[in-house]
Amino acid sequence: QVQLVESGGGLVHPGGSLRLSCVASGILFNIHIMSWYRQVPGNQRELVATIDSAGTTKYADSVKTRFTISRDNAKNTVYLQMDSLKPDDTAVYSCNARMWSNYWGQGTQVTVSS
């Protein structure tokens, strides 16, 4: 059974930082493309960042200079380091694993507010 479990969300002030983690089980983690998405109620899901099996990363323009995606294949974990957070970053952040199939975690809430 495939599971993706996110953690690390919470409430943070503007300008603050959070690090999200996503632990995967039931998949060959090191060959999967791992991504973070976010969604605000009423809006479409937005791709935030992606890291492939070679460690190549891509980011949405809105987060490019502030967020960093990384992976630890030994721990089956993908991370999203979020710095200089803004209120517009408030959303539910979800982890995605993609190869032959597409898997999703349940999501973790990130709220940026003063």
Side-chain angles (χ1 to χ4, degrees):
Q1 182 182 358
V2 178
Q3 277 194 314
L4 300 178
V5 180
E6 301 98 334
S7 62
L11 173 63
V12 63
H13 292 309
S17 297
L18 284 174
R19 188 175 83 153
L20 305 183
S21 300
C22 170
V23 180
S25 59
I27 61 172
L28 292 173
F29 180 81
N30 61 325
I31 67 172
H32 277 71
I33 298 168
M34 301 300 299
S35 300
W36 286 97
Y37 286 76
R38 66 186 181 186
Q39 188 170 24
V40 176
N43 289 4
Q44 284 192 333
R45 185 181 282 164
E46 175 190 17
L47 176 61
V48 175
T50 295
I51 185 167
D52 67 13
S53 58
T56 302
T57 59
K58 293 182 181 179
Y59 297 92
D61 287 343
S62 59
V63 309
K64 194 170 292 185
T65 61
R66 302 182 295 120
F67 291 8
T68 303
I69 189 171
S70 61
R71 64 192 297 161
D72 185 338
N73 290 337
K75 296 182 178 179
N76 284 8
T77 301
V78 62
Y79 304 99
L80 185 68
Q81 177 67 40
M82 304 186 295
D83 299 318
S84 302
L85 282 161
K86 305 175 181 179
D88 283 350
D89 295 318
T90 296
V92 174
Y93 285 72
S94 298
C95 174
N96 171 267
R98 176 169 58 87
M99 191 60 189
W100 301 287
S101 298
N102 219 7
Y103 303 106
W104 293 92
Q106 290 297 312
T108 184
Q109 177 70 46
V110 171
T111 302
V112 185
S113 175
S114 55

